[in-house]
Amino acid sequence: MAGRPSSPPGADAPRETPDARPPRRTRSARATAAGSAGSVGTGLATLVGGGVVAGLLVAGLAVPVVATAGAGADAAVDMFEDLPTQLDPSALPVRSTIRYADGSPMTGFYAENRVIVPLDAVAPVMSDAVVAIEDSRFYEHGGADPQGIARAFVNNVTGGGTQGASTLTQQWIKNVLLQQAREAGDEDAVTALTTPNEARKVREIRLAIAAEEEYSKDQILENYLNIALFGANTYGVEAASEYYFSKPASELALPDAALLAGMIQNPSFYEPTTNPQDAQDRRDVVLGRMLDLGKIDQAQHDAAVAVPIADQLRIDKPANGCAPAGATAYFCDYVVQTILQDPAFGEDRDARVRALYRGGVDVTTTLESGRQYAAWQQVQETVPVDDSSQVGATLVSVEPGTGKVRAMAQNRVYTTAPTDQRGYTNINYNVDEDLGGGRGFQPGSNWKPFTLATWLKEDNTLRESVTAAPRQTVFPASDFRACGNRLVDDWEVRNSEGTGTGRMTVLQATYDSVNTAYASMATELDLCDIRATAESLGAHPASPESVPPSQDGRLGVNPANVLGSDPVAPLTMAAAYATFASGGTYCPPRPIESVVDRDGQPIQPTVESCTQPLATDDHTSEQIANTVTYALENVFTRGTAERVGRPDGRPAAGKTGTTNKMVQTWFSGYTPQLATTAWVGHPDESGTSLSDERIKGVRRTVYGSTYAAPMWRDYMEQALEGLPEEDFGPPAWDLVGTFSSSDSSGSSSSSSDDDEDQSSSSDSGDEDDD
């Protein structure tokens, strides 16, 4: 089976989104601030009167700066109209998080590893270190530092080497402009912003001066600390602290703060994991500057310098994408595919990708970690990921009455990289093709409960007897109706030798899974009605391309549908069986519990409504569902899963399934609290019988009760541990009917593992069913 295109890059679990930033100052507040000591007018007056005008003219800077000064503070305030519209820190890309149902992180997603935090969530020593090394006069100037500009000019023209004079505010402005250019994919703008250019520098000065009329110093410092690059695709002080030291920025110690502050000048050159000595030397420069400015004393300086950089680092690379989620990776991919199809996350796929990788959404899923671990453990114990047979195994659980997916596991290792390595794939066997799955697998007799439900909806009973040929029989095409029309081809159906008894009740045909009996039932129904019942329970082909046209041109309507010829995904079957478990309520499966945006505001994911699909004029959906359950309980007590047994003896119902030549095997079953489907088979459509494979080194005749049912039972015992036993609701007794003594005894020729029933059809993907 060919792999599908890989998903977008993945992520690490971000911290909780902080409260919204402090509001910007209003225009009236800015007008008042224009006359304050740190205002634009004061800064420019100092600049113009500082004896450096001639130098600035030579440098090509004075004309716009002096013009700004002459215009006065009000003009500088108006200049804010030229500021980028995305200076607000909420525009910055931030990490998104996907969580388990209990709120613990599963993994994260990011294009840029960033977590925005308020300034009061950053250790003061970090602010001191950054101001000391990058802009020691930050709290004294008005956005452009006259002394710094003069010093840089004199140094540059006297041959002292190129020297910048950017304030923290200017650096913030430049970083915002770079961020905007990258977001827009404007490579020319990125080049212009990173190439020395006096006109660009003048614009940054003008914008910085105007910005200081709009934002307080602490707001600017906070925004700067959240946008700065610290190497390794890590942006902002919070993500940097987590990455390099495995702790939040609020817990940064002096040596840590100095190391991070020193990296800002050249993040790649001073990256401590690749250039530890250069990083340590730069850290010590920062410590020396802090000592000179009186931010630390000699003892603090000496103690910090004495710390080897290797002793500081506790690298914790944040998870990015589904692969780091390990045993949960396939469920993670299901969540991602769901998000990318949901308009709640954006108007189109590109917008939804941005929301996931740049928008900081926090997604709590329905997956329960304990059940997930149990499912992973059982699929690995049944067929190990490195088993030479390469047989696939999956488990997926759905909560009845809600549709919440509680576990999803398969015996493969998730990867998005092209590989032929055994046991690796990006295909999620549990879901439909459009959600990252494959083309599905034929379910065999796992499909029979849909025929049974249709039978009961037509007011037939479990007591009624039907023809059940002992071995095989040919049903004339004229016996079947599809949407009211007769079919044109005959259908040959067979059982395993010895299972047919000539005639039997529908109840016995169900728990002994007799194909010829179910084919007889289908002759008394309309095949389109059976199809409609299945669809009302969410049972549909995993891929439209996997369903051949019917004999009369209708898609997917063939007699063999009755015995499970249409390839489906395991999640589809688990959700359908959950309808019976819930007493007739079908809820479409869903992986997401709740979502909040970067500001903690709820996003309402699209959730389809639950329905009562089995209701008729004479019976409620609950009555039909409970009567199906009544029949399927017998599968454990005297049917094809009798030797497997119920989980811890609890009330349970279910159905085995085996396809032609034992290529695919199934067990779907449930208690009132949980519905689970187990699948063991060939994912590659090879057609090789499982009975010809050495699974864990052993070759044996394989049916649904051989591997799938025991895997289901062992998992359910773990998944239900600690929960009270619950009984199913009563059936509709008029649909059960009255049994004769021989009928109620449940006598049958066999209910053993190797005596399950089989069928053959020449026109629709032949299969053997149990």
Side-chain angles (χ1 to χ4, degrees):
M1 183 181 299
R4 60 186 175 81
S6 62
S7 300
D12 166 58
R15 295 164 51 79
E16 297 293 336
T17 303
D19 294 336
R21 304 283 77 74
R24 293 178 173 181
R25 287 184 282 176
T26 63
R27 179 167 291 277
S28 60
R30 284 186 269 132
T32 301
S36 66
S39 70
V40 174
T42 302
L44 290 177
T46 304
L47 177 64
V48 173
V52 297
V53 175
L56 291 173
L57 286 171
V58 174
L61 299 176
V63 173
V65 174
V66 173
T68 302
D74 288 338
V77 171
D78 291 337
M79 194 188 304
F80 181 75
E81 301 304 324
D82 291 333
L83 280 171
T85 59
Q86 294 185 2
L87 286 179
D88 193 314
S90 65
L92 295 177
V94 290
R95 286 191 328 225
S96 293
T97 308
I98 294 181
R99 302 180 185 276
Y100 290 97
D102 63 4
S104 60
M106 179 186 302
T107 190
F109 289 81
Y110 58 86
E112 296 179 0
N113 177 26
R114 178 187 285 109
V115 181
I116 291 178
V117 293
L119 191 61
D120 60 13
V122 179
V125 70
M126 182 67 204
S127 299
D128 289 344
V130 168
V131 171
I133 196 63
E134 291 294 323
D135 185 3
S136 61
R137 287 173 43 78
F138 174 65
Y139 287 100
E140 301 170 29
H141 61 66
D145 183 9
Q147 293 183 19
I149 292 175
R151 183 176 62 252
F153 169 73
V154 171
N155 184 78
N156 295 346
V157 299
T158 58
T162 302
Q163 186 180 97
S166 293
T167 63
L168 277 179
T169 310
Q170 289 172 246
Q171 292 181 46
W172 171 51
I173 293 292
K174 180 179 178 179
N175 279 331
V176 169
L177 295 173
L178 275 170
Q179 186 71 48
Q180 287 182 285
R182 288 196 298 264
E183 292 285 306
D186 190 341
E187 295 300 325
D188 290 340
V190 171
T191 300
L193 287 163
T194 53
T195 302
N197 181 285
E198 291 173 355
R200 172 182 61 77
K201 184 69 93 176
V202 169
R203 180 171 184 251
E204 289 173 5
I205 291 174
R206 295 178 64 209
L207 293 175
I209 292 170
E212 294 234 2
E213 287 297 315
E214 184 74 6
Y215 296 92
S216 70
K217 288 288 189 180
D218 281 352
Q219 285 177 301
I220 291 170
L221 180 57
E222 174 183 305
N223 294 341
Y224 178 82
L225 289 172
N226 280 311
I227 199 172
L229 173 63
F230 291 90
N233 195 32
T234 301
Y235 293 80
V237 65
E238 179 72 5
S241 182
E242 292 175 353
Y243 177 78
Y244 290 107
F245 312 119
S246 297
K247 59 186 176 184
S250 61
E251 298 178 9
L252 285 169
L254 174 59
D256 305 328
L259 179 63
L260 293 182
M263 292 176 64
I264 292 174
Q265 184 185 77
N266 192 328
S268 59
F269 186 77
Y270 295 123
E271 211 286 326
T273 64
T274 56
N275 299 307
Q277 188 59 56
D278 293 320
Q280 183 162 318
D281 291 345
R282 176 66 175 169
R283 179 202 68 180
D284 294 347
V285 169
V286 176
L287 291 168
R289 182 63 174 155
M290 295 178 75
L291 177 63
D292 292 342
L293 294 171
K295 295 297 183 181
I296 58 175
D297 59 29
Q298 190 68 50
Q300 291 173 308
H301 169 272
D302 294 348
V305 168
V307 177
I309 197 169
D311 291 350
Q312 291 183 248
L313 299 179
R314 298 287 187 274
I315 301 298
D316 183 14
K317 185 176 182 180
N320 191 11
C322 288
T328 311
Y330 292 101
F331 175 82
C332 169
D333 189 77
Y334 168 44
V335 173
V336 170
Q337 299 304 324
T338 299
I339 289 172
L340 297 184
Q341 294 183 28
D342 190 345
F345 293 89
E347 61 182 12
D348 55 30
R349 186 179 178 87
D350 288 344
R352 296 161 202 160
V353 170
R354 287 195 297 273
L356 181 61
Y357 289 92
R358 315 182 82 86
V361 293
D362 198 307
V363 181
T364 299
T365 70
T366 59
L367 198 76
E368 294 176 325
S369 57
R371 285 173 169 170
Q372 178 65 17
Y373 176 76
W376 168 251
Q377 184 181 44
Q378 288 305 319
V379 297
Q380 292 300 313
E381 288 184 3
T382 301
V383 187
V385 66
D386 59 352
D387 193 77
S388 61
S389 69
Q390 280 301 279
V391 167
T394 71
L395 281 165
V396 59
S397 289
V398 173
E399 183 175 85
T402 68
K404 296 177 182 179
V405 181
R406 295 306 195 183
M408 178 180 286
Q410 68 187 54
N411 65 336
R412 292 292 189 268
V413 177
Y414 180 85
T415 180
T416 57
T419 180
D420 294 327
Q421 188 173 355
R422 176 186 296 173
Y424 285 72
T425 185
N426 66 345
I427 297 173
N428 184 350
Y429 300 147
N430 276 305
V431 300
D432 291 344
E433 188 174 41
D434 68 342
L435 288 171
R439 299 180 65 177
F441 315 106
Q442 290 185 336
S445 289
N446 236 221
W447 196 264
K448 283 178 180 172
F450 309 139
T451 299
L452 178 61
T454 308
W455 175 266
L456 297 172
K457 287 169 67 178
E458 295 293 326
D459 288 333
N460 298 302
T461 71
L462 299 179
R463 171 192 61 80
E464 294 178 45
S465 64
V466 293
T467 301
R471 299 190 64 174
Q472 69 182 46
T473 188
V474 175
F475 287 83
S478 58
D479 286 356
F480 297 98
R481 289 175 292 121
C483 303
N485 300 318
R486 296 294 176 180
L487 302 183
V488 296
D489 290 333
D490 298 341
W491 183 35
E492 181 179 316
V493 181
R494 63 188 176 87
N495 301 311
S496 296
E497 184 176 354
T499 46
T501 59
R503 292 190 68 82
M504 62 176 56
T505 64
V506 169
L507 178 64
Q508 182 179 349
T510 300
Y511 64 68
D512 270 349
S513 197
V514 181
N515 289 344
T516 52
Y518 260 78
S520 296
M521 292 165 60
T523 64
E524 300 183 36
L525 305 169
D526 191 301
L527 298 180
C528 289
D529 291 342
I530 299 173
R531 165 68 66 185
T533 296
E535 290 177 346
S536 73
L537 303 179
H540 57 268
S543 169
E545 296 179 0
S546 65
V547 181
S550 66
Q551 296 167 9
D552 62 352
R554 292 176 176 82
L555 184 65
V557 181
N558 285 292
N561 299 154
V562 176
L563 303 179
S565 62
D566 290 350
V568 294
L571 177 59
T572 291
M573 301 304 291
Y577 276 68
T579 307
F580 304 133
S582 69
T585 299
Y586 170 69
C587 297
R590 58 187 179 95
I592 296 175
E593 183 70 58
S594 62
V595 186
V596 295
D597 65 17
R598 63 193 295 155
D599 296 320
Q601 297 303 306
I603 296 174
Q604 297 298 332
T606 302
V607 177
E608 297 181 58
S609 300
C610 299
T611 60
Q612 300 285 316
L614 300 178
T616 67
D617 292 340
D618 299 321
H619 295 92
T620 65
S621 187
E622 181 180 16
Q623 290 174 316
I624 300 293
N626 288 348
T627 308
V628 172
T629 295
Y630 175 88
L632 297 184
E633 284 183 283
N634 285 265
V635 172
F636 284 110
T637 58
R638 51 182 172 171
T640 56
E642 181 179 10
R643 291 186 181 180
V644 174
R646 298 173 296 180
D648 292 325
R650 293 170 177 266
K655 186 70 191 71
T656 49
T658 309
T659 66
N660 187 43
K661 299 179 183 178
M662 295 79 168
V663 175
Q664 314 293 350
T665 63
W666 298 69
F667 190 85
S668 291
Y670 52 93
T671 67
Q673 300 105 319
L674 194 66
T676 299
T677 289
W679 165 82
V680 176
H682 279 290
D684 57 1
E685 302 178 1
S686 67
T688 303
S689 173
L690 296 182
S691 298
D692 293 332
E693 297 283 7
R694 290 190 178 275
I695 299 175
K696 298 174 69 173
V698 177
R699 180 179 291 143
R700 57 191 298 197
T701 302
V702 177
Y703 296 96
S705 57
T706 309
Y707 291 109
M711 178 172 70
W712 177 92
R713 178 204 59 214
D714 293 346
Y715 159 73
M716 289 289 279
E717 287 181 348
Q718 293 177 266
L720 296 170
E721 186 175 0
L723 295 180
E725 289 188 11
E726 293 185 13
D727 291 321
F728 295 111
W733 291 108
D734 62 318
L735 294 178
V736 174
T738 303
F739 292 92
S740 67
S741 59
S742 61
D743 291 335
S744 61
S745 69
S747 61
S748 64
S749 57
S750 175
S751 60
S752 66
D753 287 357
D754 59 355
D755 208 25
E756 296 173 330
D757 316 311
Q758 305 171 5
S759 77
S760 175
S761 168
S762 60
D763 57 17
S764 62
D766 307 346
E767 62 223 317
D768 299 344
D769 304 316
D770 40 304

